[in-house]
Amino acid sequence: MLKGIIFDMDGTLGDTLQLCIEAYRRATQEVSGRTPTADEVVSYFGLSDRGVLGGLLNINPDAPELPIATFVRVYCELHDELAPAAFPGAADLLWRLKERGLKLALLTGKEHYTAIPTVEKYGMSGVFDLQLYGDPYYNCKADNLKRAMEAWNLSPEEIIYVGDAPSDISLCHSVGVSIINAAWGSNSAADEAACLALAPEYRLTDFAELENLLTKLTS
């Protein structure tokens, strides 16, 4: 029986992909005068905030001159316009799961710079037992899944990940964790073939179906 549920953020709890892309584009333009394409931004996804920004600006993510404060400011300025709310019912669902005694974690490629503002805006502050963030040099989700299992003393069979990207499926399977492929965001159609090819244990196209599935899996 499942005892822990781990959630991705972008495209899973909120339709924030366009927010992320546009914030990177505008921050890069503000700093360098060059506006990267959306495809260029997306090519760095899997890395954290500093990793993507460093790639776009050709600056080491750990360098003090990396303008992370500029990016965070632009991200927060655009939030109300491009991603004002989570998917309908997302925060309420998380709080109901927590009240049932289930362990909840946020596991995202974001770093705290942008994850925390979004969690706060979406009414999710305090709902997660763990918040695990990305790395500027590699996609660390598989390692963070292991960290969550260790922190909770749970086996792979006792947790499940809810995430939207094809890479989420392969990384979960690499550590023996099942996944609910979140196919309810605006980018889900573009990723459908890639996701299905990786054979997620579950795939939902409507966020409203998630609570029923989780209830069955945790009962």
Side-chain angles (χ1 to χ4, degrees):
M1 184 174 71
L2 290 180
K3 298 179 180 178
I5 307 168
I6 304 177
F7 291 88
D8 180 35
M9 171 61 78
D10 297 318
T12 299
L13 293 175
D15 212 353
T16 50
L17 177 63
Q18 189 58 40
L19 166 62
C20 297
I21 292 173
E22 193 59 24
Y24 283 117
R25 295 181 75 232
R26 294 195 192 185
T28 301
Q29 195 282 328
E30 183 174 326
V31 170
S32 70
R34 182 185 74 87
T35 304
T37 66
D39 286 344
E40 184 181 355
V41 173
V42 171
S43 72
Y44 290 102
F45 280 8
L47 304 181
S48 68
D49 301 345
R50 289 178 298 133
V52 177
L53 189 63
L56 293 169
L57 293 170
N58 196 27
I59 299 174
N60 187 298
D62 289 320
E65 64 267 26
L66 184 77
I68 188 66
T70 298
F71 168 67
V72 174
R73 172 179 56 77
V74 173
Y75 179 92
C76 292
E77 288 173 352
L78 291 173
H79 216 309
D80 282 339
E81 174 188 350
L82 298 179
F87 289 114
D92 289 341
L93 170 59
L94 291 174
W95 286 107
R96 285 195 295 272
L97 294 170
K98 187 176 183 69
E99 288 170 0
R100 289 178 50 202
L102 292 162
K103 297 180 182 298
L104 301 180
L106 177 70
L107 196 167
T108 174
K110 293 176 176 294
E111 289 182 79
H112 68 280
Y113 303 105
T114 56
I116 291 175
T118 297
V119 165
E120 291 175 348
K121 181 170 288 292
Y122 288 171
M124 299 172 182
S125 295
V127 75
F128 297 110
D129 304 290
L130 295 172
Q131 291 190 185
L132 301 166
Y133 305 124
D135 186 278
Y137 297 103
Y138 78 110
N139 189 327
C140 66
K141 283 189 174 180
D143 288 341
N144 276 339
L145 284 168
K146 294 177 184 177
R147 292 185 181 102
M149 286 186 279
E150 291 171 1
W152 290 340
N153 193 28
L154 295 179
S155 68
E157 294 76 21
E158 293 175 304
I159 68 169
I160 198 164
Y161 187 70
V162 186
D164 65 312
S167 60
D168 293 337
I169 302 171
S170 57
L171 290 168
C172 281
H173 289 174
S174 73
V175 294
V177 171
S178 296
I179 183 169
I180 299 172
N181 181 214
W184 48 72
S186 60
N187 197 54
S188 58
D191 288 338
E192 180 177 4
C195 288
L196 291 174
L198 292 166
E201 283 73 19
Y202 307 93
R203 178 176 169 87
L204 298 180
T205 58
D206 187 344
F207 187 87
E209 299 172 351
L210 182 58
E211 184 164 14
N212 285 338
L213 176 59
L214 290 176
T215 297
K216 292 177 183 176
L217 296 175
T218 57
S219 299

